[in-house]
Amino acid sequence: MSNELTFTIGREELVIRQRWEVVSIVNDILVAIWFIVGSILFFGESTAYAGTWLFLAGSVELLIRPVIRLARRVHLQRLSPTGTAVDTSNDY
């Protein structure tokens, strides 16, 4: 299984070699969206209930971040022939 994802946008090509990094980045973007929209909804009394749910969604997303990191580490450990994962990338 290849660790590369390739996206072509016009003449530009983006090659993503670290799928777990992409998952982590998407998760972080979702956290920001939930909290921003939730904050905006808190300005109105009629939308505060929906804002509360978005804050809850953002909090759950914050919990998902360490789960992604743990899943990545387990995945790397399974790929390693010796059972000890060697990872030189930043921990995201």
Side-chain angles (χ1 to χ4, degrees):
M1 180 164 91
S2 172
N3 280 335
E4 292 185 0
L5 294 175
T6 304
F7 296 98
T8 304
I9 305 167
R11 294 180 299 156
E12 302 298 320
E13 190 173 278
L14 173 65
V15 178
I16 300 171
R17 290 182 178 87
Q18 301 293 330
R19 291 181 185 189
W20 290 110
E21 183 179 9
V22 173
V23 171
S24 183
I25 291 168
V26 168
N27 181 67
D28 289 349
I29 290 170
L30 288 174
V31 169
I33 289 171
W34 302 145
F35 280 113
I36 289 169
V37 173
S39 296
I40 292 169
L41 292 177
F42 261 99
F43 284 124
E45 227 177 272
S46 63
T47 57
Y49 183 77
T52 302
W53 278 103
L54 288 175
F55 275 120
L56 178 61
S59 298
V60 170
E61 291 282 334
L62 285 175
L63 175 63
I64 290 173
R65 181 175 173 81
V67 171
I68 291 169
R69 290 174 55 206
L70 178 62
R72 177 178 165 268
R73 290 218 175 259
V74 168
H75 179 78
L76 288 174
Q77 200 135 19
R78 286 184 182 159
L79 291 178
S80 174
T82 62
T84 57
V86 177
D87 186 16
T88 59
S89 65
N90 293 333
D91 207 9
Y92 30 84

